Amino acid sequence: MRLTIASGVAAFTAALLLYPLFEGGTWFWSSLGAVLAVVAAGLVSSRLSLPAWAATLLGVAATWIYLTASFAAEKAWAVFVPTKGSVVELGRLLGVGWTDIQRFAAPVPTTDGITLLTAGGVALIAIAVDLFAARLRRAALAGLPLLALATVPATILPDPISWPAFIIAALGFVGLLIADGRERVGHWGRAVLVRRTRIAAAPSADGPRASADISGLRLSGKRIGFAAIVLAVLVPALLPAMEPVSFFQFGVGGSGTGGRGNSISIPNPIAHLKGQLDLPERRTVLTYANNDDKPRYLRIYALDTFDGQQFGMTQPKGSPDNRTDNGPLPPPPGLTGNPKINNVRTNIQISDEVAELKFLPLPYPPRKIQVDGDWRADVSSLMVFSTRDEAAGLAYDVATSEPEPTADLLESLDGNADAVDQRYLRLPENIAPEIRDLAGKETAGATSDYDAAVKLQQFFTKTGGFTYTLRTQGHGSSALRDFLLRDRAGYCEQFAASMAVLARLVGIPSRVVIGYTGGTKIGNRWEVSTSDSHSWPELYFEGVGWLPFEPTPAGVLGQGSARVPAYTQPAPTPTNSSSAPTPGATSSTAADDALDPAERQNPRALDREAQLNTGTLPVEESMPLIAKIGIGAGALLLVLLIPAGVRLITRNRRVRTLGWKVTQPSDELTARIVSGEGAAGRHPSVAAAWAELDDILYDYGMAREPSETPRALARRLTQQYEFDAASAAAVSAIASAVERVLFARDPGRIGPLKKDLRTVRQALAATVSRGRRVRAVLLPPSTLRGLRGVGERLLDGFDLLETIRLRRTAAQKGS
């Protein structure tokens, strides 16, 4: 039964490592209930002596009943008895939870589906731990499922595991090992063990057989376990990182096909978008400069399919003909009219810290790219990707031919939706009727597709009452309906996806793009950071092709670095300005001019911008590897010098303080001097001199025997190390003073012993090697002995607590 409880504790303490993945504490209490259900099943199995396979099945059944009562009580019989309806409900919630996990970035909201998945997963880990430890008696193997649980936050989160949570989880596993050791030793019978001065008594011939005394083994296990935990926490903290740390990841990655084809493995690119916006520290992703010195949105992914819950990406295809080093890229789809074209050249430098990015951030539409490596363009979307290379640390030049349409030109275009692939209009059949009605209502009276698109953008930015927030919840097919009809609060991904859906409902081809806004001007380059991560819709108009729209609110109350395209705004009042801004990217539109300059900045970068204006921003430079090694070595050296510092402080206190004290007597003789037996209370300097001499001998490897008197010690040192007359007289004076303090009724006058102690120390140092003297200074064994004594007393305190029993002894029961 002890092992069953210890297994549950170990599983739950390991589950605490999951806390950074969730918002709120619902997952915590649900997981605790699941572990308690498994422990209850384990106790029943132990009571009935069930075989391992039966105990495992009972644990699964208990978990099923618990999850039914917690998440499908309305469908169950008598709240907790599973029925067909409850099974269907649990299955539905599992599917919803899995979708939510793919949809949200950590920390995820604790919806019912996510909480069910978490509680069920923790329960399965608890069942596996109980199987290994309590049923198969292989407690060490129970660390494997616990390790699997710990790897979840380690692989998802960019930050290291919290060391307090790690210590708690490690203590849970150590407790399981100690419980297993007690169980094993307890089956050996009576053990006769010696622990310091306590000896286990043998059982009486006529008395009941006592249980095995395993305190010694338990103490050793604690020492090993605690030491291992301390080292596991301190050593990584002191050692420098040997490779650059990746502070962020952005969606698409994987090894692809290694060049054996033109396909690439694509995870969900939306999964990390919210994580980018919610990072506590701003990190530079890339910098760029162009010939017209204007900011531009940089596209990475174009999502073209909608499944009713979120947008996804069709597998990009890049033939050898579309390699970037083969010349111009394929022409942009739909650009068949005669709009004004702005030719721009941009130089982009990607940060070395970007992880697993196999797509190039580019302004749209790219015409030609000069980049090293095997990079290819997808014809339909003009995304540029590679199956072999990564973008981290890459520098490249891109030439773009950007259409600059006017509102009059877009109003005159016919909405020829047949000219574009129909996947950009496809929607699932289960779109809520209220959403269809909303699309028709907001575009009522539109004179063209362009007019309808502008009305939809204004619905999100002006008339609809939407607010920008990163604290969003919602799951499954209800997320779109909740955002549009009820909450109307979200971040850029919700705004972009919702406008794209409404555009398709009114017959405008659309897709969702993920990338970065134009960033912040620093020096002669634009700097783009994680806080500039963004998603926006692109709508198709035959004649000009794909154009960006901006439904996400900008300014301090929104995505601060977002900019509304000029062609979606009312005609500005005529000014001396003669050039129109670039679509979706310029900062000189009438809307931007109407804003306060601070409102055009990303709210997550306002503090940085304020520092820039005053010139107080520190320069962000990556610390060289040699500097990291130096800092780590220095920190390690400081830790190693702690015993030397303690020894130096102790010696100075003894020598320089008139009222010398010894707080940690090393043996019975020193303890008697310190306690004031005889006349010692009137001569604290004698105690300090004797304790310092004892430590000097221990540091030099000449430790005094416990039975050796002061006079015998002085005689041995004088003869063994051939002291000269002065040294022999000094050690004899110290020994005589100690004996008089200990045994004489009146020790008489005792002179200062400081000079004698120094003489003896110099004589002893001359008899040992230089290495021994260096060790006595840097790693004094006497200090390490004192630290070990403190640890032993601390563990003795734990052992004393363990001896407390709430139940009465047999003798008490008899009385």
Side-chain angles (χ1 to χ4, degrees):
M1 297 178 67
R2 181 187 292 113
L3 278 178
T4 299
I5 297 176
S7 299
V9 172
F12 185 69
T13 54
L16 295 179
L17 295 171
L18 302 176
Y19 81 91
L21 301 178
F22 304 97
E23 294 179 352
T26 305
W27 73 274
F28 176 88
W29 300 110
S30 298
S31 300
L32 176 60
V35 172
L36 292 177
V38 174
V39 170
L43 294 176
V44 173
S45 300
S46 300
R47 186 71 175 177
L48 300 179
S49 301
L50 297 179
W53 64 268
T56 302
L57 292 180
L58 185 59
V60 173
T63 302
W64 188 4
I65 293 174
Y66 167 76
L67 295 179
T68 299
S70 300
F71 298 94
E74 297 179 355
K75 305 289 185 178
W77 182 73
V79 177
F80 62 87
V81 179
T83 62
K84 180 179 178 181
S86 67
V87 173
V88 172
E89 178 65 13
L90 290 179
R92 185 189 70 82
L93 286 177
L94 287 174
V96 169
W98 180 256
T99 301
D100 286 348
I101 289 177
Q102 305 301 314
R103 176 182 178 83
F104 293 103
V108 299
T110 50
T111 60
D112 289 344
I114 292 178
T115 305
L116 173 61
L117 271 178
T118 305
V122 171
L124 292 179
I125 295 295
I127 292 172
V129 173
D130 180 76
L131 174 64
F132 284 121
R135 312 304 155 196
L136 303 180
R137 297 302 175 92
R138 297 290 187 270
L141 292 179
L144 294 178
L146 296 177
L147 180 62
L149 192 61
T151 58
V152 175
T155 54
I156 293 178
L157 298 176
D159 296 326
I161 295 177
S162 170
W163 65 265
F166 169 79
I167 291 177
I168 294 175
L171 289 176
F173 182 56
V174 169
L176 176 61
L177 296 179
I178 293 175
D180 179 70
R182 295 184 64 177
E183 288 287 329
R184 291 178 181 276
V185 176
H187 291 296
W188 295 349
R190 179 62 174 168
V192 181
L193 300 173
V194 178
R195 180 180 175 187
R196 289 192 272 280
T197 59
R198 300 195 297 272
I199 302 178
S204 60
D206 53 351
R209 182 174 182 177
S211 61
D213 183 3
I214 60 173
S215 58
L217 293 179
R218 186 169 66 250
L219 180 63
S220 298
K222 290 176 182 176
R223 289 174 178 171
I224 295 173
F226 293 159
I229 295 173
V230 170
L231 290 176
V233 173
L234 292 182
V235 172
L238 297 176
L239 295 179
M242 300 306 293
E243 61 183 13
V245 178
S246 173
F247 293 97
F248 48 82
Q249 295 183 355
F250 199 106
V252 177
S255 58
T257 59
R260 292 188 296 270
N262 295 322
S263 62
I264 184 172
S265 176
I266 303 175
N268 184 354
I270 293 179
H272 296 283
L273 177 59
K274 179 174 181 291
Q276 294 284 288
L277 295 171
D278 210 20
L279 281 176
E281 186 175 358
R282 186 177 187 265
R283 292 286 175 178
T284 299
V285 179
L286 60 88
T287 63
Y288 68 92
N290 47 38
N291 58 342
D292 62 357
D293 199 27
K294 293 180 180 179
R296 280 171 173 80
Y297 281 20
L298 302 175
R299 302 163 77 253
I300 303 180
Y301 317 122
L303 314 183
D304 52 1
T305 62
F306 183 68
D307 60 3
Q309 299 179 8
Q310 64 182 3
F311 274 84
M313 189 192 326
T314 300
Q315 185 85 13
K317 299 177 181 179
S319 65
D321 294 338
N322 294 326
R323 287 171 54 106
T324 56
D325 53 9
N326 285 342
L329 302 184
L335 188 54
T336 58
N338 191 27
K340 180 182 177 181
I341 298 297
N342 183 25
N343 294 314
V344 182
R345 294 192 61 86
T346 305
N347 173 264
I348 301 175
Q349 172 68 58
I350 306 293
S351 170
D352 292 332
E353 295 178 347
V354 173
E356 298 182 359
L357 180 59
K358 292 182 175 290
F359 285 65
L360 295 183
L362 298 169
Y364 185 84
R367 185 180 74 252
K368 187 176 182 180
I369 302 175
Q370 294 179 351
V371 60
D372 295 332
D374 184 4
W375 296 90
R376 308 184 182 191
D378 178 69
V379 176
S380 63
S381 64
L382 292 186
M383 293 184 296
V384 177
F385 67 95
S386 176
T387 60
R388 301 178 180 179
D389 303 308
E390 293 190 7
L394 203 62
Y396 52 95
D397 295 316
V398 54
T400 55
S401 296
E402 303 170 350
E404 294 188 350
T406 62
D408 293 337
L409 173 62
L410 293 174
E411 185 72 39
S412 66
L413 296 178
D414 293 329
N416 187 7
D418 296 334
V420 70
D421 194 308
Q422 291 302 299
R423 72 177 186 271
Y424 296 110
L425 286 167
R426 192 171 297 122
L427 290 170
E429 296 180 356
N430 61 347
I431 291 291
E434 299 91 340
I435 297 178
R436 295 182 183 273
D437 295 340
L438 178 66
K441 174 184 176 183
E442 295 301 326
T443 58
T447 58
S448 64
D449 285 349
Y450 163 73
D451 190 22
V454 171
K455 288 179 178 294
L456 290 177
Q457 178 176 280
Q458 292 179 343
F459 167 63
F460 289 102
T461 57
K462 295 181 179 180
T463 62
F466 287 86
T467 57
Y468 181 91
T469 177
L470 294 176
R471 301 296 179 186
T472 59
Q473 296 193 18
H475 61 277
S477 59
S478 64
L480 178 65
R481 183 173 61 252
D482 292 342
F483 176 75
L484 286 174
L485 303 177
R486 189 182 65 180
D487 300 331
R488 296 197 173 181
Y491 63 104
C492 56
E493 187 261 323
Q494 278 87 29
F495 283 96
S498 298
M499 181 171 175
V501 169
L502 295 183
R504 291 189 180 188
L505 285 172
V506 297
I508 306 175
S510 64
R511 62 190 183 191
V512 171
V513 174
I514 293 179
Y516 298 100
T517 57
T520 304
K521 183 70 176 294
I522 298 181
N524 60 351
R525 295 182 69 86
W526 295 87
E527 182 178 287
V528 177
S529 71
T530 50
S531 60
D532 296 313
S533 302
H534 193 44
S535 178
W536 65 94
E538 287 184 342
L539 275 56
Y540 181 85
F541 301 93
E542 183 64 27
V544 295
W546 292 96
L547 295 179
F549 282 73
E550 188 51 88
T552 304
V556 294
L557 299 180
Q559 173 75 1
S561 55
R563 292 177 173 87
V564 178
Y567 49 79
T568 66
Q569 294 293 323
T573 303
T575 63
N576 294 331
S577 177
S578 60
S579 61
T582 302
T586 69
S587 60
S588 60
T589 65
D592 284 340
D593 290 338
L595 292 175
D596 183 81
E599 294 182 350
R600 295 199 296 268
Q601 303 297 329
N602 190 324
R604 284 163 293 276
L606 285 179
D607 293 340
R608 177 182 176 88
E609 296 306 312
Q611 291 178 340
L612 276 173
N613 294 332
T614 58
T616 60
L617 180 67
V619 179
E620 294 183 2
E621 296 182 354
S622 178
M623 184 178 295
L625 178 60
I626 187 65
K628 295 181 180 179
I629 295 177
I631 293 176
L636 182 60
L637 180 61
L638 289 177
V639 173
L640 294 178
L641 290 179
I642 289 177
V646 174
R647 180 74 178 91
L648 181 63
I649 293 173
T650 302
R651 183 172 61 194
N652 289 340
R653 187 181 70 244
R654 289 169 177 170
V655 173
R656 297 179 181 179
T657 305
L658 295 178
W660 287 353
K661 298 179 181 179
V662 181
T663 58
Q664 296 179 356
S666 58
D667 62 1
E668 183 179 356
L669 181 59
T670 305
R672 290 174 57 193
I673 300 175
V674 175
S675 63
E677 293 188 15
R682 297 192 300 272
H683 294 280
S685 61
V686 175
W690 181 253
E692 182 63 21
L693 177 60
D694 190 68
D695 283 350
I696 293 173
L697 293 173
Y698 196 82
D699 289 340
Y700 289 156
M702 311 169 181
R704 178 178 59 85
E705 297 295 333
S707 60
E708 198 170 23
T709 64
R711 183 176 304 179
L713 174 65
R715 183 168 55 250
R716 177 174 67 83
L717 294 178
T718 302
Q719 296 175 356
Q720 182 175 353
Y721 300 105
E722 299 179 355
F723 282 180
D724 56 22
S727 301
V731 72
S732 297
I734 295 175
S736 175
V738 172
E739 288 188 339
R740 281 188 290 161
V741 166
L742 282 174
F743 306 115
R745 181 181 298 274
D746 183 7
R749 183 180 180 276
I750 298 178
L753 299 176
K754 178 179 179 179
K755 182 178 179 181
D756 293 332
L757 184 62
R758 182 172 61 251
T759 301
V760 174
R761 182 172 65 247
Q762 293 173 351
L764 292 174
T767 64
V768 298
S769 64
R770 179 178 298 178
R772 172 69 72 172
R773 292 196 299 271
V774 172
R775 181 191 175 192
V777 174
L778 298 181
L779 290 173
S782 59
T783 301
L784 299 179
R785 176 182 60 178
L787 295 176
R788 185 169 63 249
V790 172
E792 290 179 353
R793 283 190 291 276
L794 180 62
L795 293 175
D796 286 342
F798 291 152
D799 292 340
L800 182 62
L801 293 176
E802 290 184 357
T803 60
I804 299 176
R805 296 289 185 269
L806 297 179
R807 59 179 183 274
R808 295 179 299 170
T809 61
Q812 290 173 328
K813 292 180 180 180
S815 62

